[in-house]
Amino acid sequence: MDASMTQEKQTANPPATGPAKLNLTGKLEEVRRYWNDHIHDLELAKHPVGTLGFFEDLAEYRFDKLRYLPKVVDFASYKGKSVLEIGCGVGIDLVKFAENGAHVTGVDLSETAIDLARKNFAHRKLDGNFLVMNGEDLDFPDASFDVVYVHGVLQYTADPHQMAREMYRVLRKGGEAIGMVYNRISWLNALSKVMKVDLEHEDAPVLEKYTIGEFRDILSPFDEIEIIPERFPVASRLHKGWKGALYNGLFVPAFTILPKAIVRPLGWHIMAFARKK
Ligand SMILES: C[S@@+](CC[C@H](N)C(=O)[O-])C[C@H]1O[C@@H](n2cnc3c(N)ncnc32)[C@H](O)[C@@H]1O
């Protein structure tokens, strides 16, 4: 996707309107606590939490698993734009935007995530503005950003419709929102049920899977929405034993030869590119 949009006033770091105010309801408080404990517990990282090696391990794993991401999100095309990521986690994707010259702000409910995202940027000597904030109640004025990026977050929050309204509010006219939720009618959701293998973070206090129609409904504040289902099987490093062998040795190669045009609606990640006119 390209980021050619009318550029209004450029602000490097749009100011929050005040100090962080987290008036969380019960469910969001559970979400905050869960991600404080789990944002950094990925067993695939070989280096100590918070080191540059740790962030490199996570980025390497992420972009191996999500091979589609740099193909559909052209990080270089956002140079000079102000990008807000809601639910930024440890900031892996924001690094890509910042390395390519975007002015980035990351917010997350989890203090652990924000602390790690700051460390990630410090290791790489990149500028970024990181705040503990609720994406359903953003502390930014209307029309603050050119791009709002929400990858793997709407499905973990208490009220995704409220988050989408906030995404729309803080976007400038001509701005673009980029989001991803999990597809309920997808190869991975079906496989996990048949093989009785839990998906990552299946124990989170909120984890919803949506159909393409339901995702469109969440994004209904937006004026234009383009949906692209993505994320097809690649070999797993996490799953071992006979299930891992069957998946890596049979399922992945068999699925890979199926024509994309046929299997695309079954992609695990529903990517959306939405515009505010
Ligand atoms: C699965 S992680 C995704 C992190 C990152 N976007 C990525 O793709 O690696 C979900 C993140 O969303 C955050 N989150 C969930 N609900 C949120 C909310 N209402 N406001 C801000 N962050 C939220 C969690 O704290 C967690 O860091």
Side-chain angles (χ1 to χ4, degrees), residues 3-247:
S4 50
M5 58 190 69
T6 7
Q7 185 77 20
E8 294 176 18
K9 193 159 63 79
Q10 180 65 64
T11 350
N13 281 319
T17 46
K21 51 170 173 61
L22 283 185
N23 301 320
L24 301 181
T25 64
K27 195 45 102 179
L28 276 180
E29 178 55 23
E30 282 178 50
V31 172
R32 183 187 74 83
R33 273 203 235 117
Y34 176 86
W35 288 105
N36 265 343
D37 291 343
H38 292 277
I39 193 71
H40 55 323
D41 69 352
L42 298 173
E43 55 189 270
L44 55 108
K46 301 280 173 280
H47 294 85
V49 173
T51 60
L52 178 59
F54 169 78
F55 296 113
E56 286 175 344
D57 287 347
L58 294 192
E60 200 263 324
Y61 173 69
R62 180 171 176 82
F63 290 106
D64 178 50
K65 203 172 55 163
L66 310 189
R67 290 177 197 176
Y68 74 84
L69 196 52
K71 294 182 192 152
V72 297
V73 178
D74 179 6
F75 293 102
S77 70
Y78 297 94
K79 184 170 184 204
K81 306 285 182 193
S82 56
V83 177
L84 168 68
E85 180 169 10
I86 301 174
C88 63
V90 305
I92 296 173
D93 292 359
L94 268 191
V95 163
K96 292 274 175 218
F97 283 108
E99 281 174 341
N100 282 289
H103 305 289
V104 306
T105 298
V107 302
D108 202 292
L109 275 184
S110 153
E111 294 90 346
T112 312
I114 290 300
D115 181 46
L116 287 169
R118 286 189 183 127
K119 287 197 172 90
N120 192 1
F121 269 57
H123 282 304
R124 299 168 195 275
K125 301 192 172 25
L126 289 169
D127 285 333
N129 185 27
F130 292 98
L131 299 156
V132 175
M133 199 181 284
N134 176 10
E136 296 183 16
D137 183 18
L138 290 170
D139 202 7
F140 297 110
D142 297 356
S144 291
F145 297 94
D146 299 315
V147 178
V148 178
Y149 186 81
V150 192
H151 194 279
V153 179
L154 285 157
Q155 60 267 54
Y156 290 107
T157 197
D159 186 347
H161 291 270
Q162 174 57 22
M163 188 177 281
R165 284 191 287 274
E166 282 292 87
M167 290 160 59
Y168 186 85
R169 181 183 68 75
V170 301
L171 259 189
R172 297 192 176 118
K173 278 195 176 163
E176 181 183 29
I178 304 171
M180 183 282 281
V181 297
Y182 301 139
N183 188 357
R184 192 161 70 236
I185 305 172
S186 61
W187 66 271
L188 187 55
N189 201 32
L191 190 67
S192 85
K193 290 195 180 350
V194 171
M195 299 298 283
K196 300 195 183 341
V197 175
D198 279 352
L199 300 168
E200 277 174 41
H201 302 302
E202 197 114 59
D203 57 339
V206 179
L207 171 51
E208 295 293 336
K209 294 147 201 165
Y210 296 103
T211 62
I212 290 173
E214 287 164 351
F215 193 20
R216 279 189 182 279
D217 183 53
I218 289 169
L219 295 174
S220 60
F222 288 87
D223 305 297
E224 272 176 22
I225 304 167
E226 183 187 3
I227 296 281
I228 309 178
E230 279 288 354
R231 173 91 164 87
F232 301 101
V234 293
S236 167
R237 297 185 221 170
L238 287 182
H239 298 100
K240 310 273 183 241
W242 71 268
K243 288 183 183 177
L246 191 65
Y247 176 80

